[in-house]
Amino acid sequence: MPDVWNRPNPEFPGVQNSWVDRNRKVPRPLQAEVRPFNREGHRALAPLTRNSPLYRRSYAHKHFQPSLRDDPNYGLAGRVFKLRREVGHRGYGGVATHNEAFVPSNRGYGVVHRNQQVWGHGERRRTMFGDEFRVGFNRLVSGHSVRCFFTDNICLDKKLGEGGNGTVLRCYFRDSPHPYAIKLSRHDVHAASLETECENLEALSRLAPDCIVPFIGRVYDRRHIEQEDVERYHGRRVAPPPIASIVLQYMPHGDFGSLTSLLSRSYAFSDRGTPHPEVARFYIVDILMKLYGIHQAGYFHGDVKPANMMMTPEGRVLLADFGTARVDFRDNWSEGVAGTFCLMAPELFTYVFEGFQDYAGPRTYADLWSVGVILHWLIFGYSPYNGSAEEEIYRDLNAFVREQRWPEIDPSDLLARHKWEALRFIKKLLVWSPYSRPTWNDIINDSYVHDQWIMMKTGTLRAPLVHHNGRWMPTPEWDSLL
């Protein structure tokens, strides 16, 4: 029997971290660890005993846990066990799985992702049926207690997306069947960017929690934490350990870019595939409300685009990817930029090309420029300027502002009034000088924003689309416009 079964359990001193009593060679009683469920999903009152045929069958199969998935009386628990087997839950060691993105390792119960072992094994822990996972620890960082995890607490699953400074995958905690999202640094050079993003998320989780994708915690390599403890024990000063990754709430309903693609395919109101202007107005006001939250917290985003906005089941937007975000004060105004060029404000191109005097001023105005470009695309179906490279994009941006190439609206169009009102607001945002763009007080009191802002803030206006039964469905309030 492998040594991992006989290791002392650090949480329960004097208790072997094993499901097997070495003297009696039979499974230990599970009354304290596992309680089965009945058909309605409630915990059964009767404990599971050694004399139970269900218990004996699980021991015969050498799972060392009751095989509740085979019993029709324990449907909910059976589905939990089945899900954990499908994702390679390490409570089952080397159980085979059909998921090609994750294959359990036979090398010390490690984790293998795409034929490459990325994380090693950890101590086995008793499985509970609670909704909250029982892994992790609290750590004091910059005067605040944050939730942290070890790499061996997490099982990786399929890849969700990839950006400039990291890769996002779906993952599972060993003590929870619920999926989460984890962001891994692509290269060592991006480790500092991941550290900065983690600090931004921790601060915004306290200051503007309703505006961002919920942050779960940091992930460390266990060896680094143990080494830090040894160094402190000997009285040596040590640097903070590096972050391996960050864990976020899993957002299964996609980003705003995928939702706009659905709107153009199924709910278009023009030949260009644009939605109804009032639908576009709702989402733009929702984006502005989230940006207002982080700006009031003292931060700018730095890369506002549809791919960095995740959708909730209620059809609302949450901001994501804060790798380019910073506190908006003078010391950060001289830093370079790493945003998306086709949505970047003109003043930030001074960091891209040589020969310009670098812009040193507030960066929140650049976020508003990006919102103006997104609104232009939603209303008229195309971006106000284009290009395949930085130089071409900047040249076309200059021509757009200098020549005032605003779209022409046909007065006979039934939606002309809505488009004129949207174009008026776009012109307020797409101004060359950042100091000439509107303040938040001007935006909130603008006729294009104010009424929608109040109704959305008070919850009297629902989103045009909500996620129901695995698909996006129009709400009754918006059914006539979709």
Side-chain angles (χ1 to χ4, degrees):
M1 187 169 292
D3 294 338
V4 67
W5 295 99
N6 301 322
R7 292 177 180 173
N9 193 321
E11 297 182 356
F12 306 97
V15 178
Q16 291 292 328
N17 190 22
S18 169
W19 288 97
V20 178
D21 188 320
R22 291 181 295 173
N23 297 325
R24 305 189 60 162
K25 299 299 182 184
V26 294
R28 289 181 178 179
L30 299 182
Q31 290 92 329
E33 291 90 22
V34 177
R35 287 295 184 99
F37 291 78
N38 56 21
R39 289 181 183 272
E40 289 74 24
H42 302 292
R43 294 185 185 277
L45 298 179
L48 200 62
T49 63
R50 275 201 190 95
N51 297 325
S52 170
L54 188 64
Y55 196 99
R56 292 197 299 270
R57 184 170 62 210
S58 68
Y59 178 63
H61 290 175
K62 299 185 183 303
H63 288 167
F64 302 107
Q65 292 189 23
S67 53
L68 299 179
R69 66 187 184 282
D70 298 328
D71 196 298
N73 294 324
Y74 304 105
L76 178 60
R79 288 194 293 274
V80 171
F81 276 115
K82 183 178 179 181
L83 174 62
R84 289 179 176 174
R85 287 174 62 86
E86 288 176 354
V87 301
H89 185 57
R90 267 182 288 181
Y92 287 91
V95 176
T97 177
H98 299 289
N99 192 331
E100 63 180 5
F102 173 81
V103 181
S105 170
N106 57 1
R107 300 191 297 272
Y109 304 102
V111 177
V112 173
H113 178 66
R114 300 193 184 279
N115 298 325
Q116 181 181 2
Q117 186 172 5
V118 292
W119 289 343
H121 70 271
E123 294 87 352
R124 293 188 176 234
R125 301 185 58 178
R126 290 174 172 82
T127 304
M128 299 294 289
F129 284 115
D131 291 332
E132 298 295 332
F133 47 82
R134 298 179 59 224
V135 296
F137 57 97
N138 290 334
R139 178 181 172 87
L140 195 64
V141 178
S142 301
H144 297 278
S145 178
V146 298
R147 192 66 176 168
C148 303
F149 310 96
F150 289 128
T151 54
D152 50 33
N153 296 139
I154 299 173
C155 299
L156 302 181
D157 197 14
K158 70 176 183 179
K159 183 169 72 173
L160 301 176
E162 191 168 1
N165 64 341
T167 303
V168 181
L169 296 91
R170 189 170 63 185
C171 70
Y172 293 84
F173 287 99
R174 289 191 292 121
D175 287 353
S176 173
H178 304 294
Y180 295 86
I182 186 169
K183 186 171 186 178
L184 307 175
S185 179
R186 295 180 60 187
H187 306 288
D188 293 339
V189 296
H190 295 136
S193 177
L194 191 67
E195 178 82 29
T196 302
E197 181 174 4
C198 184
E199 294 174 355
N200 294 336
L201 288 170
E202 289 167 353
L204 290 172
S205 295
R206 299 187 298 268
L207 301 173
D210 297 332
C211 302
I212 66 172
V213 174
F215 174 72
I216 305 299
R218 303 178 171 211
V219 180
Y220 289 103
D221 192 323
R222 188 183 296 270
R223 296 171 300 175
H224 294 154
I225 300 296
E226 292 176 350
Q227 181 64 26
E228 182 187 41
D229 294 339
V230 170
E231 296 295 329
R232 287 181 176 176
Y233 177 78
H234 292 287
R236 306 189 188 102
R237 298 187 63 181
V238 294
I243 296 177
S245 55
I246 55 178
V247 182
L248 304 165
Q249 180 175 316
Y250 177 50
M251 308 294 288
H253 310 299
D255 56 23
F256 184 58
S258 62
L259 185 69
T260 55
S261 299
L262 174 64
L263 290 172
S264 64
R265 290 195 312 267
S266 304
Y267 305 102
F269 258 74
S270 69
D271 296 337
R272 289 184 174 270
T274 58
H276 193 282
E278 287 299 311
V279 175
R281 178 184 177 187
F282 176 91
Y283 289 112
I284 286 299
V285 173
D286 195 15
I287 294 170
L288 287 171
M289 292 178 70
K290 302 309 187 294
L291 278 178
Y292 175 76
I294 68 170
H295 286 183
Q296 290 297 106
Y299 283 77
F300 64 88
H301 189 281
D303 192 14
V304 177
K305 59 182 179 180
N308 289 341
M309 305 171 189
M310 307 306 296
M311 303 303 301
T312 67
E314 295 78 19
R316 303 297 294 270
V317 171
L318 292 178
L319 299 177
D321 195 354
F322 287 85
T324 57
R326 298 289 187 277
V327 178
D328 194 25
F329 74 112
R330 188 177 302 275
D331 291 349
N332 290 332
W333 290 348
S334 59
E335 292 191 12
V337 296
T340 305
F341 291 114
C342 60
L343 294 168
M344 188 181 294
E347 65 269 14
L348 301 184
F349 278 91
T350 58
Y351 292 92
V352 179
F353 307 116
E354 297 181 358
F356 288 95
Q357 181 179 359
D358 292 343
Y359 166 75
R363 297 286 184 89
T364 53
Y365 298 126
D367 290 344
L368 298 178
W369 174 281
S370 301
V371 174
V373 176
I374 295 173
L375 179 57
H376 189 288
W377 178 75
L378 286 175
I379 297 295
F380 301 105
Y382 63 93
S383 178
Y385 52 91
N386 296 285
S388 56
E390 303 92 276
E391 295 84 357
E392 188 177 350
I393 293 174
Y394 185 70
R395 192 182 308 113
D396 197 33
L397 188 157
N398 271 281
F400 161 73
V401 176
R402 183 176 61 255
E403 301 171 8
Q404 294 291 295
R405 299 184 315 204
W406 302 109
E408 297 182 359
I409 301 173
D410 186 2
S412 62
D413 189 349
L414 296 177
L415 302 176
R417 182 178 62 85
H418 300 282
K419 293 182 179 180
W420 278 327
E421 189 176 3
L423 181 59
R424 179 191 58 79
F425 186 67
I426 292 172
K427 290 181 178 180
K428 292 182 67 173
L429 298 178
L430 299 185
V431 178
W432 181 270
S433 172
Y435 299 102
S436 299
R437 293 171 200 152
T439 63
W440 276 113
N441 188 51
D442 298 331
I443 291 175
I444 295 174
N445 291 304
D446 190 275
S447 59
Y448 185 75
V449 175
H450 183 266
D451 293 343
Q452 290 263 11
W453 187 293
I454 298 299
M455 288 189 293
M456 293 168 65
K457 185 176 181 180
T458 57
T460 57
L461 181 62
R462 298 175 64 191
L465 295 175
V466 295
H467 204 270
H468 182 67
N469 290 336
R471 55 176 297 188
W472 289 103
M473 302 286 292
T475 53
E477 299 93 325
W478 298 86
D479 198 23
S480 60
L481 304 181
L482 293 172

